[in-house]
Amino acid sequence: MAMKRSAPKSCIPCRDRKRKCDRATPSCSLCYRLGRVCGYPPISPSRSRASSETSNLHQVNLHQNGDPFSNTDDPSNRDIHHVITDRLSKAVGNISEIRAVSKIYFSTIHHWLPVISESLFYERLCMIFLRPRADHSLLCMGMALINLTPPAPDDFAQKELFESLYTLVKTSVAILEAADLNSIEVVQARLLVTLFEVGHGLSTAGYISMAALARAAATLGINETINASSSPKCEEGLRVWWGIVMLDRFITIERGSGLCATEGLGSPQHLPRDSNVWDQKIIDSLDPLPMSTPSSVRVGPFARQAQISHVTNLLINHLRAATTLGLDSEESDQLARTLLSFSMLFPEETPQPWPRYCGAIGMCYSSLMMLHKSRLPSPLSTEFLELTFNRMSSVSCKFNARIDQVDVRAISPFPPHSLHLVALVQDELWRETWDPKRKEDREEFIRMLRFFGRRWGNAGKYMATLEKQINDIPA
């Protein structure tokens, strides 16, 4: 390999791995020998743009085999790539700062929503300013956005950052949409934006974004390839579509009515594989587990959440049918049994189900509480309700006992909905019976809800509603 002049600094892969780099261009000797992507940090984003044609870096085409989920390679989109990457540079910073943002994301949100390949992300990151791609830059901004926590009421600087970054990412999505630019990374970014809106109580924005997100994925055909093959690329599409379906069904349950945005667009027939296997790009030769896999079979956290999502969809259809045909009590009982059987699995699968099982737990109990709200009182429905209370009380007590050990940044925004509902019901029962156990349970749920309010704005809004009811009576 003919080497030209040396780069001023070690390449990013060698620096990250603390290996000696000879700084040769277009690729250092070690990267060349290992067959990996070699890239050098730019002196500044402006210089990297100006030297895009004469850069001495190893320009590797990451999509040389063709990406079935992208239309971003059109040369006419070149200006858009620079515009969005400029926005990323100004909002987040240089490549080291972007790497710090992504590190937080993969150690928190990725635990319970593993829809982005960590290895592929970092392969592309080293070229982000040298070969700007609007979709990858948008995804980085989406990560920075979802990492934000609600600002304190008197922290005006953080509030301005919170609102300005949200506006910047939303307008960037609109720019790409107007340019007819779409890819799986754009869809992943849209998913993070929608999750941000749902998690911080921007319910109208989240509901609208959910519909656009589902259509953006369908435009790429992600929903049509989810059951096609077991390649790493198709597995990524499957996981992205599962993430969309889960969030969509949670939004529908939280709203209490309406159709899912993914209705009629296809439902996965297989569970996602183990996250560690997929993230290391190791897809085993065995077929993935089917959707019908019994709850007694041990599966990963994301696959368990997929199973809960499937039952949630059955509940949504059940409640919708009840508006015209009346509620089928036998079907309601079966749904309650299924959800309760899943609820028994979470503590058994891991002593500390937070945060990996946090999303599944939240969706499971939201479904149980919404099922309770739809039913007329009966001995069996009351029995199921008390079982739900007992399970949720057990979870909240265990959670609160080790609340200082929980990484608040890594928890899902799904549990606050069910915590709010069960605390309201327990408060009503306490007022009716003056049973001190009802009040004790209510306080445990409130403590847990307050903790979630440190991470997600929706918990704060639910807490305000709950406090209003509680303050209506003597404490």
Side-chain angles (χ1 to χ4, degrees):
M1 180 179 68
M3 297 295 178
K4 300 181 182 179
R5 59 186 181 278
S6 298
K9 296 182 179 180
S10 298
C11 74
I12 294 171
C14 288
R15 187 176 60 185
D16 287 349
R17 294 167 175 80
K18 294 181 171 57
R19 302 295 296 275
K20 185 176 181 180
C21 179
D22 62 9
R23 296 183 291 155
T25 61
S27 174
C28 77
S29 299
L30 183 59
C31 287
Y32 179 76
R33 189 168 67 251
L34 296 177
R36 70 189 180 200
V37 177
C38 183
Y40 293 91
I43 296 174
S44 68
S46 59
R47 176 175 176 178
S48 68
R49 291 195 302 272
S51 61
S52 60
E53 294 298 327
T54 59
S55 173
N56 59 354
L57 300 179
H58 185 36
Q59 299 291 329
V60 176
N61 184 359
L62 297 175
H63 300 280
Q64 59 187 353
N65 295 321
D67 187 345
F69 301 140
S70 175
N71 69 346
T72 62
D73 291 325
D74 188 337
S76 63
N77 288 324
R78 183 174 299 173
D79 290 341
I80 298 296
H81 293 309
H82 288 307
V83 166
I84 302 302
T85 304
D86 281 344
R87 286 180 164 218
L88 170 66
S89 175
K90 293 174 182 176
V92 180
N94 59 32
I95 194 166
S96 297
E97 291 167 313
I98 297 170
R99 190 179 295 274
V101 164
S102 61
K103 183 178 180 180
I104 293 173
Y105 173 85
F106 284 113
S107 64
T108 56
I109 300 294
H110 187 70
H111 281 183
W112 64 271
L113 192 70
V115 297
I116 301 171
S117 170
E118 186 173 4
S119 57
L120 286 176
F121 176 85
Y122 283 121
E123 281 181 17
R124 296 168 182 169
L125 182 60
C126 64
M127 309 297 286
I128 196 163
F129 291 124
L130 304 169
R131 188 184 177 195
R133 292 184 64 90
D135 51 357
H136 191 62
S137 297
L138 179 67
L139 181 57
C140 293
M141 284 194 286
M143 288 180 172
L145 179 67
I146 202 66
N147 286 348
L148 292 179
T149 56
D154 56 348
D155 192 343
F156 299 108
Q158 183 67 15
K159 184 178 181 182
E160 182 179 358
L161 170 64
F162 192 86
E163 294 174 349
S164 62
L165 185 56
Y166 171 60
T167 301
L168 183 72
V169 179
K170 285 283 282 188
T171 55
S172 297
V173 170
I175 289 172
L176 267 65
E177 183 177 318
D180 198 28
L181 193 155
N182 198 17
S183 71
I184 193 168
E185 288 178 299
V186 173
V187 172
Q188 289 165 333
R190 282 180 177 269
L191 177 55
L192 297 184
V193 172
T194 308
L195 178 64
F196 175 88
E197 292 167 339
V198 172
H200 291 290
L202 305 173
S203 55
T204 300
Y207 187 59
I208 295 171
S209 295
M210 187 69 245
L213 168 61
R215 269 71 189 165
T219 300
L220 296 175
I222 293 176
N223 59 317
E224 297 174 355
T225 60
I226 51 177
N227 302 309
S229 70
S230 59
S231 68
K233 195 67 184 178
C234 287
E235 176 70 16
E236 184 174 33
L238 172 64
R239 299 175 84 84
V240 169
W241 187 248
W242 260 125
I244 294 170
V245 165
M246 290 173 186
L247 183 56
D248 184 28
R249 292 170 181 173
F250 175 77
I251 289 173
T252 304
I253 280 290
E254 188 178 38
R255 286 175 58 85
S257 63
L259 295 172
C260 289
T262 53
E263 183 84 16
L265 293 179
S267 182
Q269 301 302 311
H270 300 105
L271 297 174
R273 286 178 170 84
D274 181 83
S275 298
N276 292 328
V277 171
W278 167 69
D279 220 14
Q280 296 172 19
K281 295 190 285 187
I282 305 171
I283 301 296
D284 52 51
S285 58
L286 297 176
D287 291 333
L289 292 173
M291 191 65 246
S292 58
T293 300
S295 60
S296 57
V297 175
R298 185 179 292 273
V299 298
F302 194 52
R304 189 65 81 200
Q305 188 167 327
Q307 289 180 312
I308 297 292
S309 172
H310 175 68
V311 181
T312 298
N313 190 50
L314 296 177
L315 173 61
I316 291 169
N317 293 333
H318 170 71
L319 297 178
R320 187 165 67 238
T323 61
T324 56
L325 303 175
L327 195 67
D328 185 333
S329 59
E330 290 186 5
E331 187 175 332
S332 294
D333 292 341
Q334 184 56 48
L335 285 169
R337 290 189 189 95
T338 303
L339 289 165
L340 282 168
S341 69
F342 275 116
S343 74
M344 298 292 290
L345 297 174
F346 301 126
E348 295 174 1
E349 293 201 348
T350 171
Q352 296 184 354
W354 310 90
R356 295 185 187 277
Y357 287 86
C358 190
I361 290 172
M363 187 173 291
C364 181
Y365 289 120
S366 283
S367 297
L368 280 166
M369 292 306 299
M370 292 304 293
L371 181 59
H372 159 69
K373 287 181 64 176
S374 70
R375 307 188 68 182
L376 295 174
S378 71
L380 191 56
S381 66
T382 301
E383 179 185 348
F384 285 143
L385 180 61
E386 288 300 328
L387 286 171
T388 302
F389 287 161
N390 291 338
R391 295 300 306 143
M392 293 187 71
S393 176
S394 175
V395 169
S396 63
C397 288
K398 290 178 181 178
F399 181 91
N400 292 336
R402 57 174 184 268
I403 201 167
D404 294 335
Q405 302 173 28
V406 179
D407 183 356
V408 70
R409 300 172 302 173
I411 55 180
S412 163
F414 292 172
H417 177 248
S418 58
L419 289 170
H420 161 250
L421 291 178
V422 72
L424 284 175
V425 175
Q426 290 287 45
D427 183 67
E428 291 169 358
L429 291 173
W430 175 63
R431 284 190 281 177
E432 291 174 5
T433 64
W434 296 100
D435 180 354
K437 180 67 167 60
R438 301 293 186 185
K439 186 177 180 180
E440 291 171 9
D441 286 347
R442 183 197 70 181
E443 293 306 310
E444 289 290 344
F445 297 136
I446 288 175
R447 184 185 177 196
M448 191 172 175
L449 188 59
R450 284 202 178 102
F451 181 83
F452 273 80
R454 291 166 51 190
R455 178 62 179 92
W456 298 106
N458 66 344
K461 293 186 177 183
Y462 283 134
M463 195 65 232
T465 302
L466 187 57
E467 288 176 339
K468 185 176 184 302
Q469 173 173 306
I470 292 173
N471 292 334
D472 285 343
I473 64 166

